């Protein structure tokens, strides 16, 4: 207590405190720091004298040279380098200094002094006394560490004396500088310098070395067995993750773009940033924690990952929501079971986990609700659904060079849920209209882009995939993969090896390839693919391998070329303008052509009808077969044969097409398989008596062949169903799924093993009764724990010590004997092995059924055809629909045609109109008329009737005779394309240019108000030039809408009547009350030209202010009068020249001018 210490001792003690605290921050990061002012150390002789004088004391508090352990709030004592702290040191040369009591906090420096900026004189060294530290008072004592005792006034005095030491201040300054260096952040100055390469590793090492030389040459403390604070902190930064979190971290590093769902016990959990994403998308709770997976310093103070969880039984629901939002979801499951793990050598390690399932929007085929038809599809939610295709595309320049104006594009589109594959390779112009047409037809929900593509292609993909109001109905996911220069050769080798391995293996999955080989289709279509399509096929096989869906390419029978000329071409503009798949109001199916024709009862029938609507037939024979089948179903609507088909479709509720492909992938569940087989059995037995098409009961060949293919699968289906236990399949009981005589040997062995163990447990009851001295004992089950032996508490004294007490009440106690525990462990092992054997047997059954996939698929396809034909027959029963007639001439002859969608949505009746176009006579109509007079509806109805007829449907008209059209082109509406930097007029002319390049004499072309996007003179000139070219050179069937009345004179250039002028009729009468003209639209087509468009009438209907309308009316009248005077003056001059004996041309000009007036 009143002891003294030398300055040397004070310096040494401060040094030890400096060692202890500086070790907390470590020496790993080396940075350049300002050099502290050097203070020479005390003389070595003085330090030795202190050690000698202190060596004789033994009853004092000892402190080790090593670092202190602060984990338990006390300092660990070491036997090395001991020195007494309260002994007096007598030395004549050194003045005595007041001695203070050594405590843990004083030995490790005051925390306030560590973090406090040193005084200026402490750094400069100009002051001798150095100033005093602030004393610890009652007010400041609460800011000390909780383990620090509050110093008394006398101790405060001692602390002040201690602070006077310049060496201590210097060491504190060094410590502060090191502490500042350790506070590295991404925005710290040191880190910015390091990123800008202003601090190199060598520079850091040199500067750190210089700093160490200037500091006191302190010996390195010997390694201690006790854990220091530094060691604890360093270990915590790397080992605070649980083994399970380390597993998740490893999987995340391998799949950085995947949102992981991890199986943890009886829940599935999300971690880190994935948890925040899942919480936002699924509206679930996110427990705060680390968000990053890269151990960033900004989250070093957080000890656990952020997490969110969902129940096991709701996994499919949440995964569907996540993939619908565009995420790539990976399911991480436990790969070990508890019982088998307990019996193995790794019983004390964490459960092994691995990525077992990977899903995206296009590869998610586990949607049970969609299979059952119980979930409302996107079309029921007001959104046009995507078709579920994954589309892979790549692009090359023609001849390997040039700009991106013309490119060669190859694509492969796969629908994993049905097994359909579409391929194509085509050249496209700078508008990318060909690519847009294919994307709008296929409507992919996911893109895979191989290599770099041109800006025009990339912008089109981004535009179509990035908006929820596009034809896809939702945002599409886009992924990109690299394309090496040798990709073509590598792709060919990869595809060849892929199919060669399928043929050479004996696996059941190869049966599809082998059956394709027998029919000559194996590799035939694959080898005929172009280079770009081959690259896409190879990339898609690699991509789908991650999802376990690569076997879809075994089905080479279902490869289809998009560019097959057996179908009418409907390009992207036509699909949009004619509202084939969706309306242009709210982008839903309601009000579209597909909505009008869709009366299907099954999901697979609906998908087939969608293909029919988008690809009208060009083959006259197939078209006649389809129309004849629809006619027969329509005429015999209430007969027994038709009713039988309707009842059969009504019983088919599940999506058989998707369920079959899930069986093929091996992802089908037991209840689902049982349901599919039962449904197929019902379908096959419905027409079991039909052995040939002639016995089907219809006259139509198409109907008879479809019905005759249904019973072909009956034997296979019955064979599979005989192996299955009905009740176990409904209950999803894997252990009893197979009937006893069809169980595998492994299943039987493990079941017998379980029975043997349970028999031993029953036998053990006698032994247990003898041990507890009772006549008999019984097993009880409490809280889910089986085989407990329950005894009254009065009999507990007879229980052997080896028995484990599991639970108890006031009256009874329950025990597990060691023999029972051993039996239970053996039983659990048999149960786990039995479950694995049952799964293996079920997989084998699925593989066996997959060998019959094509036969089952053909049966379902036939049922889909019947569904589509019944749908078209139901449409044909509507009043006012007629059967279209086809001939070999090029032309359209429709009497009383109506718009198929508008007449269903209108409350009033639709006004029918006639049209007659023929390549030999009138092949073009110039349509004029007032605004809102019905011009667009008229030309749209003509195009839609032509499309419906070639689909095979009845049409809304009194009569319709048509020649087969090879394409329908439309140029309607005004819109710009800011994504491509194109103005409204540019888009208009670009689309017109594409039509002029692609149209043929068998095409129907609709041009709506061409030339309105620029000045009047340029617009009229372009419109007239295009109209003349269409009629004289292309000779296409053309409907040309315009408000340029001067174009009516073009008809005079075709005296044979190839171009006729027609207009939409209206009546005009003056309102006596307001002095305005009232226009009544008749919506009928009449001969001649409408010389006025009555735009002011539309302005009045739109609700423009009355004063504005009056001013516009006055201005319009003034301009019309001025134009009339100008023309009259021109006519007077021409007539004067004619009177003077002018030429015939001048006479014609005069007549034309008089007609216009």
């Amino acid at each position: 207590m009143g002891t003294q210490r030398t300055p040397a001792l004070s310096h040494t003690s401060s040094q030890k405190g400096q060692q202890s605290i500086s070790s907390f921050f470590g020496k790993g990061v080396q940075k350049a720091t300002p050099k502290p002012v050097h203070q020479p150390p005390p003389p070595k002789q003085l330090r030795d004298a202190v050690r000698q004088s202190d060596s004789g004391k033994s009853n004092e508090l000892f402190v080790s040279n090593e670092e202190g352990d602060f984990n338990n709030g006390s300092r660990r004592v070491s036997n090395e380098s001991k020195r007494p702290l309260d002994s007096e040191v007598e030395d004549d040369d050194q003045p005595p200094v007041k001695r203070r009591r050594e405590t843990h906090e004083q030995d490790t420096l005051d925390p306030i002094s560590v973090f406090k900026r040193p005084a200026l004189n402490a750094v400069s060294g100009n002051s001798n006394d150095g100033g005093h530290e602030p004393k610890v008072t009652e007010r400041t004592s609460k800011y000390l560490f909780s383990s620090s005792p509050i110093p008394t006034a006398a101790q405060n005095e001692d602390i002040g004396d201690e602070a006077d030491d310049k060496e201590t201040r210097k060491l504190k300054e060094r410590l502060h500088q090191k502490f500042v260096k350790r506070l590295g952040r991404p925005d710290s100055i040191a880190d910015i310098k390091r990123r800008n390469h202003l601090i190199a590793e060598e520079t850091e090492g040199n500067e750190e070395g210089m700093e160490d030389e200037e500091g006191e040459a302190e010996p390195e403390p010997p390694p201690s067995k006790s854990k220091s604070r530094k060691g604890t902190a360093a270990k915590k930064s790397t080992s605070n993750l649980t083994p399970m979190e380390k597993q998740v971290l490893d999987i995340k590093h391998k799949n950085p773009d995947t949102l992981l769902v991890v199986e943890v016990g009886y829940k599935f959990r999300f971690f880190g940033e994935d948890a925040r994403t899942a919480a936002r998308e699924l509206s679930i709770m996110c427990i705060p924690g680390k968000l990053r997976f890269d151990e960033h310093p900004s989250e070093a103070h957080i000890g656990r990952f952020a997490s969110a969880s969902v129940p096991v039984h709701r996994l499919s629901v949440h995964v569907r929501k996540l993939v619908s939002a565009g995420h790539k979801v990976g399911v991480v499951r436990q790969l070990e079971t508890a019982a088998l793990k307990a019996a193995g050598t790794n019983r004390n390690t964490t459960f092994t986990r691995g990525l077992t399932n990977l899903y995206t929007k296009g590869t998610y085929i586990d949607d049970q609700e969609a299979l059952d038809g119980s979930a409302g599809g996107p079309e029921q939610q007001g959104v046009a659904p995507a078709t579920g295709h994954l589309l892979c595309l790549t692009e090359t320049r023609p001849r390997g060079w040039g700009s991106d104006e013309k490119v060669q594009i190859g694509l492969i589109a796969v629908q994993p849920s049905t097994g359909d594959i579409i391929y194509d390779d085509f050249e496209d112009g700078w508008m990318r209209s060909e690519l847009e047409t294919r994307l709008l037809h296929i409507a992919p929900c996911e893109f895979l882009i191989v290599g770099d593509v041109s800006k025009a292609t990339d912008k089109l993909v981004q535009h179509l995939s990035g908006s929820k109001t596009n034809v896809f109905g939702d945002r599409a996911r886009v992924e990109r993969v690299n394309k090496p220069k040798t990709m073509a050769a590598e792709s060919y080798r990869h595809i060849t090896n892929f199919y060669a391995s399928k043929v050479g293996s004996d696996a059941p999955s190869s049966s599809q390839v082998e059956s394709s080989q027998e029919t000559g289709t194996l590799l035939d279509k694959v080898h005929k693919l172009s280079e770009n399509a081959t690259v896409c096929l190879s990339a898609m096989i690699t991509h789908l391998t991650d999802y376990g869906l690569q076997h879809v390419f075994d089905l080479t029978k279902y490869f289809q070329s998009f560019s097959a000329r057996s179908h009418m071409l409907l390009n992207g503009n036509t699909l949009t303008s004619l509202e084939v798949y969706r309306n242009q109001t709210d982008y839903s199916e309601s009000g579209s052509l597909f909505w009008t024709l869709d009366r299907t009862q099954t999901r697979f029938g609906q998908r087939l009808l969608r293909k029919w609507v988008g690809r009208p037939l060009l083959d006259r024979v197939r078209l006649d077969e389809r129309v004849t089948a629809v006619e027969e179903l329509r005429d015999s609507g209430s007969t027994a044969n038709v009713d039988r088909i309707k009842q059969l479709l009504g019983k088919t509720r599940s999506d058989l097409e998707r369920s079959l492909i899930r069986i093929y992938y091996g992802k089908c569940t037991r209840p689902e398989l049982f349901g599919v087989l039962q449904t197929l059995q019902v379908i096959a037995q419905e027409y079991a008596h039909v052995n040939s098409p002639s016995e089907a009961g219809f006259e139509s060949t198409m109907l008879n062949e479809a019905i005759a293919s249904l019973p072909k699968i009956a034997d296979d289906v019955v064979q599979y169903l005989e192996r299955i236990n009905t009740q176990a399949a409904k209950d999803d009981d894997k252990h009893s799924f197979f009937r006893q005589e069809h169980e595998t040997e492994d299943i039987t062995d493990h079941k017998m093993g379980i029975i043997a163990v349970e028999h031993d447990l029953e036998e053990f009851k006698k032994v247990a009764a003898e041990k507890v001295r009772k006549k008999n004992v019984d097993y009880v089950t409490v809280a889910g724990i089986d085989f407990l032996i329950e005894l009254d508490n009065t009999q507990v004294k007879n229980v052997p010590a080896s028995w484990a007490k599991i639970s108890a009440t006031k009256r009874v106690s329950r025990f597990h004997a060691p023999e029972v525990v051993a039996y239970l462990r053996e039983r659990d092992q048999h149960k786990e092995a039995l479950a694995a054997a049952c799964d293996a047997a079920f997989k084998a059954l699925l593989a066996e059924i997959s060998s019959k996939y094509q036969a089952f698929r053909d049966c379902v396809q036939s049922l889909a055809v019947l569904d589509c034909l019944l749908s078209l027959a139901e449409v044909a029963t509507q009043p006012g629909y007629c059967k279209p007639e086809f001939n070999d001439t090029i032309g359209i002859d429709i009497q009383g045609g109506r718009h198929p969608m508008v007449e269903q949505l209108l409350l009033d009746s639709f006004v029918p109109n006639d049209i007659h176009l023929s390549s030999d006579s009138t092949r073009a109509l110039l349509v004029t008329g007032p605004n809102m007079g019905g011009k667009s509806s008229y030309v749209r109805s003509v195009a839609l009737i032509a499309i419906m007829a070639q689909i095979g449907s009845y049409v809304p008209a009194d009569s319709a005779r048509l020649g087969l059209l090879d394409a329908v082109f439309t140029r309607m509406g005004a819109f710009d394309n800011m994504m491509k930097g194109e103005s409204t007029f540019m888009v208009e002319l670009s689309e017109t240019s594409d039509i002029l390049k692609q149209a043929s004499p068998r095409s129907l072309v609709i041009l709506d108000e061409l030339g309105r996007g620029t000045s009047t003179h340029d617009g009229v000139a372009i419109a007239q030039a295009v109209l003349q070219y269409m009629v004289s050179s292309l000779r296409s069937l053309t409907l040309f809408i315009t408000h340029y009345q001067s174009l009516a004179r073009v008809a005079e250039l075709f005296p044979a009547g190839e171009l006729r002028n027609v207009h939409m009729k209206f009546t005009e009468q003056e309102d006596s009350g307001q002095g305005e003209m009232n226009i009544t639209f008749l919506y009928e087509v009449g001969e001649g030209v409408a010389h006025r468009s009555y735009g002011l009438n539309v302005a009045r209907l739109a609700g423009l202010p009355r004063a504005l309308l009056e001013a516009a009316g006055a201005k319009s009248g003034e301009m019309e009068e001025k134009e009339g005077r100008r023309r009259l003056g021109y006519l007077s001059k021409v007539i004067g020249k004619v009177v003077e004996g002018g030429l015939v041309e001048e006479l014609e000009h005069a007549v034309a001018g008089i007609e216009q007036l």
Side-chain angles (χ1 to χ4, degrees), residues 1137-1138 1141-1148:
K1137 292 181 180 180
V1138 171
L1143 299 175
V1144 178
E1145 294 180 357
E1146 293 175 343
L1147 180 61
E1148 291 178 353

Side-chain angles (χ1 to χ4, degrees), residues 28 146 311-312 396 416 454 548 682 707 725 749 788 854 861 883 1100:
S146 59
V312 170
T396 55
S454 60
V682 170
I707 292 175
N725 185 335
D749 290 344
L788 291 172
Q854 286 189 357
Q861 196 72 11
K883 176 185 175 182
R1100 185 175 72 253

Side-chain angles (χ1 to χ4, degrees), residues 56-230:
K57 307 293 182 181
S58 60
N59 58 344
E60 304 293 338
L61 185 64
F62 296 98
V63 180
S64 170
N65 283 339
E66 300 169 356
E67 300 167 358
D69 185 4
F70 299 104
N71 290 340
N72 299 323
S74 61
R75 194 174 183 108
R76 190 179 297 275
V77 180
S78 175
N79 292 328
E80 298 181 12
S81 304
K82 297 178 181 177
R83 55 183 176 82
L85 295 181
D86 59 350
S87 61
E88 294 184 2
V89 181
E90 301 290 344
D91 193 277
D92 296 332
D93 299 331
Q94 299 294 338
V97 180
K98 265 190 165 181
R99 168 86 177 117
R100 62 180 173 86
R101 175 179 295 175
E102 293 292 329
T103 63
H104 160 62
E105 288 76 20
Q106 292 161 351
D107 205 13
T108 58
L109 294 184
D110 183 29
I112 300 175
S113 66
V114 173
F115 293 87
K116 180 180 70 64
R117 180 181 293 276
L120 183 60
N121 57 0
V123 178
S124 63
N126 294 335
S127 174
N128 292 329
D129 55 2
H132 292 279
E133 292 283 340
K135 296 182 179 181
V136 181
T137 64
E138 279 188 19
R139 182 179 178 187
T140 60
S141 63
K142 59 185 177 183
Y143 298 108
L144 290 176
F145 291 117
S146 59
S147 60
S148 304
I150 299 177
T152 61
Q155 290 170 336
N156 285 341
E157 188 71 21
D158 293 337
I159 294 173
D161 295 337
E162 172 75 7
D164 289 342
D165 189 5
K166 295 180 181 179
E167 184 67 7
T168 302
R169 291 199 307 273
K170 188 192 75 169
L171 294 178
K172 291 177 181 177
E173 170 64 13
R174 263 190 79 198
L175 177 61
H176 177 70
Q177 295 294 342
K178 282 191 175 184
F179 176 75
V180 170
K181 284 201 306 178
R182 293 296 288 173
L183 291 179
R185 289 292 184 271
D187 55 349
S188 65
I189 296 176
D191 212 275
I192 292 172
K193 288 183 177 180
R194 184 174 288 103
R195 285 201 298 269
N196 295 331
H197 306 290
L198 298 177
I199 302 179
E201 293 183 3
E202 299 175 358
T203 309
E204 289 180 322
N206 294 338
E207 292 178 354
E208 187 68 27
M210 293 173 61
E211 177 189 348
D212 290 341
E213 288 177 6
E214 289 183 350
E216 179 68 21
E218 300 171 357
E220 192 75 12
S224 172
K225 295 181 181 179
S226 62
K227 294 182 181 179
S228 65
R229 189 167 183 174
K230 167 190 170 184

Side-chain angles (χ1 to χ4, degrees), residues 613-786:
V613 169
R615 308 181 79 181
L617 295 173
L618 293 180
D619 188 346
R620 174 80 179 274
V621 176
R622 292 177 60 192
L623 185 56
D624 286 339
E625 285 181 358
R626 192 179 291 179
V627 174
T628 303
V630 172
E631 182 183 19
E632 185 172 358
L633 290 173
R634 173 182 178 271
D635 294 341
S636 56
S638 58
T639 60
N641 287 336
V642 177
D643 289 342
R644 176 179 287 185
I645 298 176
K646 291 181 179 178
Q647 290 175 3
L648 180 59
L649 291 172
K651 296 176 185 176
T652 309
R653 288 300 178 188
S654 61
D655 193 341
L656 292 177
E657 194 174 32
R658 296 188 63 179
S659 295
L660 281 177
I661 199 70
R662 279 171 49 78
I663 293 173
Y664 187 78
Y665 293 142
K667 296 179 179 292
C668 183
T669 63
R670 289 172 177 83
E672 180 186 352
L673 174 64
F674 182 67
V676 169
L677 292 177
Q678 278 196 324
T679 305
L680 290 176
Q681 185 185 25
V682 170
I683 294 171
Q685 289 180 347
E686 187 71 30
Y687 291 96
H689 61 283
V690 177
N691 297 320
S692 65
S694 59
E695 300 177 8
F698 288 95
E699 296 180 3
S700 167
T701 306
M702 193 174 186
L703 288 173
N704 289 337
E705 290 180 352
I707 292 175
S709 66
L710 298 180
K712 293 180 179 179
I713 62 171
D715 295 339
D716 291 329
V717 172
V718 171
Q719 173 198 349
Y720 296 134
L721 281 173
E722 285 180 348
R723 306 184 196 178
I724 299 173
N725 185 335
T726 302
Q727 191 59 43
K730 291 179 180 178
D731 299 339
D732 198 9
D733 180 6
K734 65 169 67 176
H735 303 125
S736 305
F737 179 76
F738 292 97
R739 296 177 62 187
Q740 189 171 358
E741 60 269 23
H742 295 285
E743 289 180 348
T744 63
E745 186 176 347
D746 287 343
I747 294 177
T748 305
D749 290 344
H750 290 301
K751 281 187 175 181
M752 294 302 296
I754 293 174
I755 293 173
V757 170
E758 291 177 348
H759 178 266
D760 292 340
L761 284 168
E762 287 296 321
E763 292 295 322
F764 179 73
K765 288 199 294 185
K766 300 177 182 178
V767 179
E770 292 178 1
K771 288 185 178 182
V772 297
R773 300 175 184 176
K774 289 186 64 177
K775 290 183 179 181
N776 53 23
V777 294
D778 289 321
Y779 295 123
V780 296
T781 300
V782 178
I785 303 176
D786 298 332

